[in-house]
Amino acid sequence: MTDFTMKTDSDGVAIITWDVPDKSMNVMRTDALLELDACITSALADDAVKGIVITSGKKDFAGGMDLNALAEMKNSAGDDPARGLFDGIMQMHGLLRKIELAGMDFKSKKGGKPIAAALPGTAAGIGLELPLATHRIFAANNPKAKIGLPEIMIGIFPGAGGTTRLTRKLGAMGASPFLLEGKMLSPEKAQKAGLIDEVADDPVAAAKAWVLSAKDSDLVKPWDAKGYKMPGGTPYHPAGFMTFVGASAMVHGKTQGAIPGAKALLSAVYEGALVPFDTALKVEARWFTNILMNPSSSAMIRSLFLNKEALEKGAVRPKGVPDQKVKKIGVLGAGMMGSGITLVSAMAGMEVVLIDRDDETAERGKSYTASYMDKGIKRGKATEEKKAAALAQITATADLSALKGCDLIIEAVFEDPAVKAEMTKKVEAVIGEDCIFASNTSTLPITELAKASKRPEQFIGIHFFSPVEKMFLVEIIKGKQTGPRAVAKALDYVRQIRKTPIVVNDARFFYCNRCIIPYVNEGARMLTEGVAPALIDHAARQLGFPVGPLQLTDETSIDLGAKIARATKAAMGNAYPASPVDDLLFWMEEKGRLGRKAKAGFFDYDEAGKRQGYWKGVEDKYPRAEQQPSLQEVQDRLMFAQVLEAVRALEEGVLEDIREGDVGAILAWGFAPATGGPFSWLDIIGAPYAAERCDELTAKYGERFTTPALLREMAEKGQSFYTRFAPEGAAAA
């Protein structure tokens, strides 16, 4: 079985077809590179071949590199993995350069054979880097296709010549949205942006026609032509100088230096622009090797690609449960959460019944979908037809009888156990016996809520994050009596709405909020100690968090934090740990400083709700300490406050799979992505050091930093989480 096959038509055009036998989408494997090389070599040597078209046997062209191929390069080199990676990458460069030069005499630029790429659908990563090495790229008129270089999204950058070629093709400024932001475009937009050359109804036929009419001059890439100048200028060109200064500022402004891949990419572009093309490919290969050797890169690839993909494909789905695809869903409560759940369900093609206390309120919830679609229409992301189709899926009513025939109910009413219990009983009197009932709650234990149900084995938690349509993660919570069909139904539903699920066992605050709360509390606690608020928030952002703990508290609302504190204290009684954080939150609440929604919180805001700086009133109550802690000290407190809760969640069985702990942390609250998540971060710094640092923090700041028994044991044995807890057959190593 081969990935690449070649057939020469009677007109002399060799068609090389990429079709990986055991994959739904093509990915580049180590052996496949050798097969492609053999096809190209054979075609260039065959006098009967006038030109070459490279295409796909699948509906898409390619999804990128098989990351196991990079691991093979690394592992094959024994004690010198960097050399193995560099040599393997340079072999890829050699193959793509062979395609680019196509047998021509380099001095005269004549005698080459035209090579075109025909893309039937999506082309990502090396799926675009390979076409960029051909002489002309044709893409199918397929609006669902996406074309681009998304590598930066998982912590690396295009390392098979894509960085060098795209920079020379579009200039540093023109290439930046695709290299630094990983933007993916439809074929039509990709053509306008200069990523591809033509859009055609039949890209293979169009490519063949071009190949048969191409001249020698059509084969010469701009960077191989005499007198080539980079668009926008090189770093020491007056215009180029400003571009690179601006790019550096932009990268550091957006990443705070926390994402190594972005900095390495910028270095490869900058240094590559100063040297000839073939030397630039070596520069790119060296920086790509550098980033692949960085443990941060490996952790990001594992969590944001391998583990995320595994969870989305059902890695934790109960075995033996038949398909539980949702056809008709009932959403109880037309508030912000219920409206968002209705929106994503309708857009996924489900029939949705949105229930609230009266028809008018329910209709307001339905209007959320209309407003969302209107915004999409203005941005060219949606059409009136798509809007009409989505709205046609939604029935907004106060009549519970409309829920008949639903196979899933998601309750999103007021966070009060009595209110939820009453709604559960009313709805169960209407729905069928096979219907799964889910509660969207962020704090209330599912096992307790299930007591109101006649069928607790069919009762489950489905915790969405706000805003529903923008957040990628959904936390599924199993109560003590929740059965496997309910879990499968929840997972299949989350897959339908194209979000990433994690499944956890029932416990106070479940997993995500259990870790988020210590993060915001540690930031607030430092504020009461006199630590400068800017130091607290900026320390977090320099770790890679999207916002610091104080800003996050303002965004989620201070009164919510106060409410959670009171409810937790009531539930725990004397076991509740007293904290100066509570005093701070209650004081802020009394003053009406409830956060962004009140235009007054830890920050001052203007009338439009824009932050104007930290509120000086906090320092009047909690004077700033003359001696400020180091940046490292603040960062360690913020990090360990979260990761220790993650370890305790694993220790207590709330988490059953460390992949879910890492992926969930990054997607739910933006846990430092460059670390790969809490467990990956602990593996990077090592359990022995982590335990030692916890002991230091405990002695200085208190028992909340006590080393969990599991971490202590792992430190003594020199173990890592991804060796001890890697699921069988999982792509997690």
Side-chain angles (χ1 to χ4, degrees):
M1 298 176 76
T2 57
D3 291 3
F4 285 93
T5 56
M6 184 172 69
K7 180 182 178 182
T8 303
D9 291 346
S10 57
D11 54 12
V13 177
I15 307 293
I16 297 176
T17 303
W18 190 0
D19 196 351
V20 182
D22 54 346
K23 299 279 187 181
S24 60
M25 182 178 277
N26 291 326
V27 291
M28 186 64 78
R29 306 192 277 200
T30 306
D31 291 345
L33 288 166
L34 300 176
E35 292 171 11
L36 177 58
D37 196 347
C39 289
I40 294 295
T41 300
S42 174
L44 293 178
D46 188 346
D47 291 338
V49 173
K50 298 176 182 177
I52 303 167
V53 173
I54 303 174
T55 190
S56 166
K58 303 184 187 298
K59 66 181 180 67
D60 293 307
F61 185 68
M65 193 81 191
D66 181 350
L67 295 175
N68 291 317
L70 297 176
E72 288 173 20
M73 293 177 192
K74 191 174 180 180
N75 297 333
S76 66
D79 295 335
D80 194 359
R83 170 55 63 183
L85 278 170
F86 179 76
D87 289 346
I89 294 162
M90 287 306 297
Q91 285 177 2
M92 279 196 289
H93 283 316
L95 168 57
L96 298 190
R97 194 64 169 137
K98 179 189 288 187
I99 291 171
E100 195 163 52
L101 297 177
M104 72 174 67
D105 176 76
F106 194 71
K107 286 186 177 180
S108 67
K109 303 295 189 295
K110 292 181 179 180
K113 294 184 179 181
I115 303 177
L119 318 179
T122 291
I126 200 167
L128 178 57
E129 290 181 286
L130 168 56
L132 283 171
T134 67
H135 306 123
R136 197 161 185 84
I137 306 172
F138 297 81
N141 187 11
N142 177 1
K144 291 184 178 180
K146 296 295 179 185
I147 297 173
L149 301 166
E151 287 90 337
I152 197 68
M153 307 305 289
I154 57 168
I156 56 177
F157 64 88
T163 296
T164 301
R165 285 188 175 87
L166 202 63
T167 302
R168 277 167 160 71
K169 184 179 177 73
L170 304 180
M173 184 67 77
S176 63
F178 312 108
L179 297 177
L180 288 168
E181 298 174 39
K183 281 193 174 181
M184 300 283 287
L185 302 179
S186 67
E188 182 183 359
K189 291 183 178 178
Q191 182 188 18
K192 290 178 181 177
L195 291 180
I196 64 173
D197 299 298
E198 291 189 36
V199 176
D201 291 331
D202 186 342
V204 173
K208 285 181 66 176
W210 179 84
V211 161
L212 291 170
S213 64
K215 304 183 294 293
D216 282 339
S217 59
D218 295 329
L219 278 56
V220 182
K221 289 299 183 74
W223 43 88
D224 286 328
K226 187 176 181 180
Y228 165 76
K229 292 183 180 179
M230 182 179 289
T234 56
Y236 290 107
H237 181 278
F241 178 81
M242 296 307 297
T243 296
F244 281 91
V245 168
S248 180
M250 182 187 79
V251 168
H252 284 279
K254 286 191 173 184
T255 68
Q256 298 288 307
I259 309 294
K263 187 175 181 180
L265 166 63
L266 193 60
S267 296
V269 172
Y270 177 87
E271 294 172 18
L274 298 173
V275 294
F277 181 80
D278 287 299
T279 307
L281 290 177
K282 282 188 179 179
V283 170
E284 180 187 300
R286 289 186 183 280
W287 277 111
F288 193 54
T289 300
N290 174 283
I291 207 63
L292 289 175
M293 291 298 296
N294 188 316
S296 167
S297 171
S298 299
M300 286 186 77
I301 291 171
R302 181 174 59 204
S303 292
L304 293 175
F305 184 74
L306 300 175
N307 291 350
K308 179 174 176 288
E309 185 179 68
L311 295 176
E312 289 169 350
K313 288 184 175 179
V316 296
R317 191 182 189 278
K319 300 288 190 293
V321 180
D323 178 58
Q324 296 292 313
K325 185 177 181 180
V326 177
K327 296 177 181 176
K328 183 178 179 181
I329 182 173
V331 180
L332 312 180
M336 184 172 71
M337 297 302 292
S339 297
I341 296 167
T342 297
L343 165 65
V344 297
S345 301
M347 290 183 69
M350 296 171 218
E351 183 182 348
V352 186
V353 178
L354 176 59
I355 299 286
D356 212 299
R357 61 180 180 272
D358 54 58
D359 289 351
E360 184 182 354
T361 306
E363 283 292 342
R364 276 203 301 271
K366 180 177 178 177
S367 70
Y368 187 82
T369 296
S371 298
Y372 178 84
M373 297 302 288
D374 285 339
K375 292 175 184 174
I377 291 168
K378 286 182 180 178
R379 297 196 307 269
K381 301 282 187 181
T383 63
E384 289 290 350
E385 291 75 20
K386 287 184 179 179
K387 175 186 174 182
L391 292 174
Q393 297 292 114
I394 305 169
T395 300
T397 179
D399 183 6
L400 292 180
S401 67
L403 295 171
K404 290 178 181 177
C406 285
D407 51 311
L408 174 66
I409 300 292
I410 299 181
E411 165 271 303
V413 301
F414 188 66
E415 282 285 275
D416 183 305
V419 174
K420 290 180 181 289
E422 180 185 3
M423 203 67 189
T424 302
K425 291 173 182 176
K426 285 182 178 179
V427 170
E428 283 193 347
V430 175
I431 58 178
E433 290 189 1
D434 289 339
C435 184
I436 300 298
F437 194 105
S439 177
N440 172 59
T441 176
S442 57
T443 57
L444 300 176
I446 295 301
T447 303
E448 290 299 311
L449 294 178
K451 289 179 178 178
S453 172
K454 293 182 292 185
R455 299 180 286 272
E457 74 281 359
Q458 292 175 202
F459 195 102
I460 195 166
I462 300 182
H463 174 210
F464 288 86
F465 296 84
S466 183
V468 174
E469 64 274 14
K470 290 184 179 179
M471 299 299 285
F472 298 112
L473 189 81
V474 178
E475 187 176 32
I476 296 168
I477 306 101
K478 296 186 292 185
K480 287 184 179 177
Q481 292 181 271
T482 301
R485 191 171 72 84
V487 177
K489 173 71 81 171
L491 284 167
D492 290 354
Y493 166 70
V494 172
R495 186 175 186 177
Q496 281 178 262
I497 59 173
R498 296 184 177 181
K499 294 189 183 293
T500 304
I502 64 170
V503 180
V504 302
N505 286 309
D506 196 18
R508 181 168 296 281
F509 303 129
F510 316 134
Y511 171 66
C512 294
N513 281 339
R514 175 177 181 157
C515 297
I516 296 170
I517 291 171
Y519 171 59
V520 297
N521 281 354
E522 198 63 30
R525 187 186 289 263
M526 283 190 267
L527 199 62
T528 67
E529 296 169 5
V531 179
L535 173 56
I536 299 167
D537 275 349
H538 291 170
R541 291 196 62 221
Q542 288 179 34
L543 286 166
F545 289 87
V547 294
L550 302 180
Q551 185 181 338
L552 181 59
T553 305
D554 261 19
E555 298 291 341
T556 56
S557 82
I558 288 169
D559 54 324
L560 174 62
K563 178 184 175 183
I564 291 173
R566 279 191 285 265
T568 307
K569 188 173 184 179
M572 296 181 67
N574 293 333
Y576 180 77
S579 166
V581 174
D582 293 348
D583 297 333
L584 170 60
L585 293 179
F586 297 152
W587 174 70
M588 296 283 284
E589 185 183 41
E590 287 172 9
K591 288 195 165 293
R593 299 195 69 88
L594 308 181
R596 180 189 284 276
K597 68 179 183 181
K599 295 187 175 69
F602 288 122
F603 289 86
D604 287 320
Y605 297 86
D606 63 17
E607 285 303 311
K610 185 178 180 181
R611 290 189 304 278
Q612 299 297 295
Y614 292 97
W615 178 48
K616 301 297 183 185
V618 171
E619 288 192 38
D620 293 337
K621 185 172 177 65
Y622 300 100
R624 184 176 299 192
E626 289 187 15
Q627 183 68 40
Q628 292 290 303
S630 68
L631 175 66
Q632 185 68 52
E633 186 84 353
V634 173
Q635 290 181 329
D636 281 356
R637 290 179 65 177
L638 293 175
M639 287 292 275
F640 278 101
Q642 300 167 78
V643 300
L644 294 183
E645 277 305 314
V647 173
R648 292 178 191 120
L650 180 66
E651 208 171 32
E652 296 165 17
V654 175
L655 274 177
E656 294 182 346
D657 191 316
I658 58 171
R659 294 175 297 179
E660 295 178 299
D662 275 349
V663 173
I666 295 173
L667 297 186
W669 71 95
F671 183 92
T675 67
F679 298 105
S680 290
W681 182 69
L682 287 170
D683 279 356
I684 289 172
I685 66 172
Y689 172 75
E692 179 186 337
R693 187 67 178 121
C694 285
D695 291 342
E696 295 171 355
L697 292 171
T698 303
K700 197 169 182 180
Y701 299 110
E703 293 183 0
R704 64 189 181 281
F705 291 109
T706 299
T707 307
L710 173 61
L711 183 59
R712 179 79 68 191
E713 178 195 339
M714 291 176 63
E716 291 170 355
K717 294 180 178 179
Q719 294 177 329
S720 70
F721 284 94
Y722 273 94
T723 52
R724 177 165 172 169
F725 295 105
E728 186 178 349

